[in-house]
Amino acid sequence: MKRYEVIIVGAGPSGLSAAIEAAKRGIKTIVFDENEKPGGQLFKQIHKFFGSKKHHAKIRGFKIGEELLKEADEAGVEVVLNATVIGLYADKEVVVRRGDEVSHYKGDTVIVATGAAENMVTFPGWTLPGVIGAGAAQTMMNLHGIKPGKKILMLGSGNVGLVVSFQLLQAGCEVAALVDAAPKIGGYGVHASKVARTGVPFYLSHTITKAHGEDHVTGVTISKVDEHFSPIEGTEKYFDVDTICMAVGLSPMSQLLKMSGCQMEDNPKKGGQVPITDEYGETSVPGLFAAGDVSGIEEASSAMIEGRMAGVCVAEYLGYCTEEEKEQILAELKEDLESLRQGMFAPANRGKEITETEEGIAVSKNLLQHGFLTEKEVEKYPGVVHKVGVHPVMECTQNIPCNPCQDACPRGCITIGENITYLPIVADGSKCSGCGMCVASCSGQAIFLVDEDCGDGSATVTVPYEFFPIPEEGSKGFGLSRNGEKLCEATVVSVKSVAAYDHTNLLTMRVPKEYAMAARFFKAG
Amino acid sequence: MNRIEEHPILGEPQKGREVTFTFDGKEMKGCEGEPIAMALKANGVMIHRYTKKEHKPRGIFCAIGRCTDCVMVVNGKLNVRTCITPLEEGMVVQTQDGVTAKGA
Amino acid sequence: MNQIVDRSRDIGEFVPQPDDDMLVCRCEEVTKGEIRKAVHDGMWTITEIRRYLRTGMGLCQGQTCARLVKGIVARELGISPAQLEPATARSPMRPIEMKVLGKEEVSDTWQ
């Protein structure tokens, strides 16, 4: 048996972050991960993250993963892959299977960062090939370059369901519908809107009543549900899909912690069985920590901060940093974490009904029920203004901790205000150069550049465009509304793509001026 | 086909060299090092096994080695999680029927 | 959690439901009806259900169905799922061949 000062289970965002903090203080750090590659789920996240600079905002998940790996490597972290931790015994003894060997390790401290497992729901036919988890879809298309299906129905409107639906479209699949039994969309409105504007219909208060097919999925029937989530007869709708994707939440994968004998609790706000910890992740067993989703389901951004907290605590526990240093770093990290835990989607607000923004504006009901803002509703929000000449229109209508747009504008046109969750506003007297940095910086793809009246009866609308094929300049097609309906004829004026946009192309289309505030997507045709 | 040729964010998928394997005796092509399940998916194979009790078809479900629904007989070995086992040249992959290879 | 469930409590008769044939444990092929019946047969804890029906004891060790089974048992007992103690967590956490588990070689050649 070998002894390590700290053993970390899981090389995902929190595990790696913890390892970095420990190793850079001179601690011999080992990380075991059952997968072939490190990074956990980060490498499947191809969208830009929310938050502030500190939280790696507007950087795509897989890029954050690459940065973390580089940092871990520089700090001297030892990551052992294809190494499955099959047991965690009392006194922090870790049992690892690698290849055809099982070995025991003793950790002076152990950080469990095993992440989460996907929840599933049952319906007739749910065991058929073609019914998959949303994570499986991400693994197939974003890691292995394989399309999960040709035509897919997504169940679940949380951020995972919304983000994966968008990713399916990016991979070249068709998304037939997005379905959720809840009456309201669970994820960010901006994530929903970027799916809705491509024409994907949302069916809230609906559930899958049957997956059809003998050997594999050939179709699916959904039904409207009543307030008790029971299907209502006569409301069935059939879709001829070959794949059904489930994104119905995550549960902490906390079995190792339970095995270790630390105190556990069943906490629905944290997603299920979690260890009871102090605010920095230490369990009831001294020297045993939990970080990331295993201690409560949140975002990768918070998992990374939690990992760093655990890493610093371990360093102090082992005598590699002073208590004073620890307290100072923890205070900073706590501030970062708290800023991420603000806004409408904060963990503290789970299950609460929020009807107004922090600015006192009514939250769009249409956005929550159908995934898009109506033309009338959108005018209420501070980011939506009318000006002469080209200017940003920011359809950001929910308070989420995110501010890259503010930093993106070289002319300082955009301000968020003192609280990171405030809705962005266009500063008075600002002069937009039309550079498009704000459009590309918005992780929610909610910023558009609009010239409402070009003087010849036309308007131009610049939209973020992350699909292939990229329409050619001068090509004709249609301007689509916020819910993906064909509104008007549109001509592609330009498609800009520079390194700073990071693969978010800026497509400018010319539309009749009466559609300047309505056309939000382009479809070739 | 089910392979993504070029992705708007990720570009061209980085894959291993082309290798040949067999699925229930039929020759197929895949990329070396990708999970067996991905090579099968690219070839349009949906059914990985039939269950023991009810004889129902199963395929990829979680794709990360947790659910064990995608297990098959690989090179004669039962219960191999194909979603996390890398493809190698000449592999013999068989549909699993209960706890034997199909037709065995 | 850890609340002692009063076994003398009357939970009523088993009433068949239209979705009783729904498969819940994918590995061991156990249906919702079998789980509900087991509760009426006196299996009130997750551990008892597991030993009685083998739910969550197949190849995946309950990765997929643990939460579903808990929900069904809790509903049948008229309690919240949080009140049911989850199954005992024990090694090995992932499927492993007996010959590998039995060998337990200590090796220092990993690096």
Side-chain angles (χ1 to χ4, degrees):
Chain A
M1 189 161 76
K2 227 172 166 171
R3 191 186 137 260
Y4 273 88
E5 289 182 299
V6 59
I7 296 173
I8 297 168
V9 188
S14 63
L16 283 176
S17 302
I20 290 164
E21 289 302 321
K24 76 182 184 194
R25 290 180 173 76
I27 303 172
K28 195 163 159 52
T29 306
I30 192 163
V31 187
F32 294 115
D33 194 292
E34 64 177 325
N35 299 292
E36 199 188 356
K37 289 187 179 129
Q41 307 309 305
L42 267 180
F43 284 92
K44 300 170 193 175
Q45 311 308 324
I46 61 169
H47 60 284
K48 294 178 177 174
F49 276 35
F50 292 83
S52 72
K53 254 188 199 157
K54 268 187 185 167
H55 309 117
H56 311 273
K58 79 167 183 177
I59 300 176
R60 297 184 192 273
F62 70 99
K63 290 265 173 70
I64 298 174
E66 284 165 9
E67 284 173 20
L68 263 186
L69 284 183
K70 192 166 162 265
E71 206 183 333
D73 193 46
E74 284 164 4
V77 174
E78 185 187 353
V79 180
V80 185
L81 298 167
N82 294 310
T84 310
V85 173
I86 57 168
L88 176 58
Y89 297 135
D91 295 327
K92 288 161 271 179
E93 188 177 329
V94 178
V95 191
V96 186
R97 182 234 174 120
R98 194 175 179 234
D100 283 342
E101 273 184 21
V102 173
S103 303
H104 291 241
Y105 289 80
K106 169 74 177 71
D108 294 341
T109 59
V110 170
I111 301 171
V112 176
T114 44
E118 284 183 288
N119 296 338
M120 295 295 169
V121 292
T122 59
F123 46 83
W126 79 293
T127 59
L128 277 174
V131 179
I132 58 171
Q138 281 193 313
T139 307
M140 289 187 207
M141 59 191 174
N142 299 340
L143 284 191
H144 303 300
I146 303 279
K147 290 181 196 176
K150 285 185 183 69
K151 199 169 173 185
I152 295 138
L153 181 125
M154 176 66 71
L155 180 68
S157 71
N159 276 333
V160 175
L162 299 171
V163 165
V164 175
S165 294
F166 192 75
Q167 291 175 1
L168 285 163
L169 296 166
Q170 290 179 307
C173 308
E174 190 185 333
V175 179
L178 211 150
V179 176
D180 200 316
K184 282 185 298 186
I185 288 169
Y188 292 172
V190 285
H191 276 322
S193 294
K194 66 187 196 189
V195 174
R197 73 175 75 109
T198 70
V200 175
F202 283 64
Y203 291 92
L204 276 291
S205 296
H206 276 74
T207 193
I208 295 176
T209 40
K210 188 177 166 64
H212 302 265
E214 283 297 314
D215 282 349
H216 58 87
V217 174
T218 55
V220 59
T221 300
I222 65 166
S223 301
K224 204 171 168 34
V225 295
D226 60 22
E227 64 271 31
H228 308 296
F229 298 104
S230 300
I232 303 167
E233 236 175 278
T235 61
E236 296 83 4
K237 230 180 190 71
Y238 177 82
F239 297 90
D240 64 333
V241 298
D242 59 16
T243 304
I244 297 167
C245 208
M246 279 195 255
V248 291
L250 300 166
S251 293
M253 210 156 54
S254 57
Q255 293 94 330
L256 280 177
L257 287 156
K258 188 168 158 60
M259 195 189 302
S260 76
C262 71
Q263 279 178 32
M264 304 288 288
E265 62 167 344
D266 197 310
N267 187 335
K269 280 208 164 170
K270 294 183 170 184
Q273 275 284 316
V274 289
I276 296 173
T277 66
D278 68 12
E279 60 182 323
Y280 306 118
E282 188 163 18
T283 67
S284 61
V285 175
L288 177 64
F289 293 80
D293 274 356
V294 73
S295 60
I297 305 297
E298 273 182 84
E299 305 285 328
S301 320
S302 19
M304 288 186 277
I305 302 173
E306 286 176 22
R308 288 191 189 268
M309 284 175 162
V312 173
C313 289
V314 157
E316 194 266 341
Y317 183 96
L318 295 169
Y320 283 83
C321 83
T322 62
E323 201 179 339
E324 202 179 14
E325 190 189 343
K326 177 185 93 168
E327 293 301 335
Q328 190 207 323
I329 297 167
L330 286 179
E332 284 168 25
L333 289 170
K334 202 175 153 186
E335 197 183 312
D336 291 351
L337 192 56
E338 274 169 6
S339 85
L340 273 182
R341 286 174 174 166
Q342 294 178 70
M344 291 179 177
F345 296 87
N349 282 334
R350 265 175 214 167
K352 272 190 210 162
E353 184 168 345
I354 292 174
T355 53
E356 264 189 11
T357 70
E358 285 162 27
E359 293 82 359
I361 307 164
V363 172
S364 160
K365 283 204 175 93
N366 206 67
L367 179 66
L368 295 176
Q369 286 164 10
H370 304 290
F372 65 95
L373 297 149
T374 64
E375 220 181 312
K376 210 172 141 192
E377 279 173 333
V378 82
E379 298 288 338
K380 293 187 298 193
Y381 298 95
V384 179
V385 289
H386 300 278
K387 287 185 174 223
V388 176
V390 65
H391 62 92
V393 171
M394 298 180 284
E395 302 187 0
C396 180
T397 67
Q398 292 174 325
N399 302 109
I400 50 180
C402 189
N403 68 5
C405 53
Q406 175 175 258
D407 298 333
C409 181
R411 297 196 174 186
C413 298
I414 301 169
T415 50
I416 297 275
E418 63 188 49
N419 197 332
I420 188 173
T421 57
Y422 285 169
L423 303 180
I425 56 170
V426 180
D428 282 340
S430 59
K431 272 252 177 281
C432 174
S433 70
C435 73
M437 288 308 293
C438 56
V439 179
S441 78
C442 178
S443 309
Q445 299 195 5
I447 303 182
F448 307 88
L449 291 182
V450 182
D451 187 343
E452 294 174 48
D453 189 353
C454 300
D456 58 357
S458 76
T460 59
V461 181
T462 302
V463 303
Y465 198 87
E466 294 187 350
F467 301 98
F468 273 166
I470 294 169
E472 278 183 35
E473 284 179 22
S475 65
K476 295 208 184 301
F478 301 95
L480 302 192
S481 66
R482 291 180 182 85
N483 63 333
E485 280 173 8
K486 278 183 192 172
L487 277 180
C488 57
E489 287 188 356
T491 310
V492 177
V493 178
S494 67
V495 183
K496 275 198 274 181
S497 190
V498 296
Y501 294 165
D502 186 13
H503 296 86
T504 306
N505 304 294
L506 264 55
L507 184 150
T508 303
M509 59 182 172
R510 189 174 298 283
V511 296
K513 72 172 189 183
E514 56 270 36
Y515 297 108
M517 290 304 287
R520 289 295 176 265
F521 197 64
F522 176 81
K523 192 180 163 70
Chain B
M1 273 321 275
N2 291 325
R3 290 198 188 271
I4 300 167
E5 278 162 26
E6 214 190 345
H7 191 282
I9 309 300
L10 299 165
E12 207 179 309
Q14 300 294 306
K15 305 293 282 190
R17 69 176 177 116
E18 191 180 80
V19 292
T20 306
F21 67 101
T22 65
F23 165 68
D24 286 348
K26 200 179 144 201
E27 206 166 270
M28 286 182 176
K29 303 243 185 261
C31 302
E32 188 175 51
E34 71 180 348
I36 297 167
M38 296 303 135
L40 290 171
K41 177 89 188 163
N43 281 281
V45 175
M46 295 292 286
I47 302 166
H48 287 223
R49 67 176 182 115
Y50 290 92
T51 61
K52 193 163 183 267
K53 258 194 202 165
E54 309 279 342
H55 199 73
K56 292 287 190 232
R58 295 285 173 84
I60 300 170
F61 187 55
C62 82
I64 51 170
R66 305 240 175 95
C67 78
T68 65
D69 248 340
C70 69
V71 298
M72 299 177 89
V73 182
V74 178
N75 292 342
K77 194 175 159 189
L78 278 168
N79 287 337
V80 173
R81 289 175 287 170
T82 54
C83 69
I84 54 162
T85 306
L87 183 71
E88 292 166 16
E89 172 75 49
M91 264 185 168
V92 179
V93 181
Q94 289 169 283
T95 305
Q96 185 166 319
D97 194 348
V99 287
T100 53
K102 190 181 160 192
Chain C
M1 215 175 58
N2 292 328
Q3 178 186 308
I4 299 155
V5 180
D6 173 13
R7 297 279 177 136
S8 65
R9 195 162 57 90
D10 183 11
I11 59 162
E13 288 293 302
F14 171 79
V15 183
Q17 283 174 6
D19 61 349
D20 275 342
D21 60 349
M22 181 93 73
L23 206 69
V24 175
C25 170
R26 295 167 70 101
C27 299
E28 292 293 314
E29 297 178 84
V30 184
T31 64
K32 184 177 176 185
E34 287 173 295
I35 297 165
R36 292 180 50 242
K37 262 203 197 101
V39 176
H40 291 272
D41 287 348
M43 306 301 142
W44 284 23
T45 69
I46 295 299
T47 301
E48 285 164 2
I49 295 278
R50 276 165 73 97
R51 295 199 179 149
Y52 197 62
L53 297 172
R54 287 197 53 80
T55 50
M57 291 178 85
L59 210 48
C60 95
Q61 287 292 294
Q63 287 290 341
T64 311
C65 73
R67 197 184 174 98
L68 298 168
V69 173
K70 214 174 166 190
I72 294 165
V73 173
R75 217 167 304 133
E76 212 55 33
L77 289 172
I79 59 172
S80 120
Q83 286 174 271
L84 280 172
E85 179 81 25
T88 309
R90 53 168 77 83
S91 181
M93 294 304 307
R94 292 283 184 271
I96 181 168
E97 300 89 323
M98 283 306 292
K99 65 173 184 195
V100 176
L101 187 63
K103 208 163 64 174
E104 293 229 1
E105 268 181 357
V106 178
S107 168
D108 290 326
T109 58
W110 280 21
Q111 298 156 48

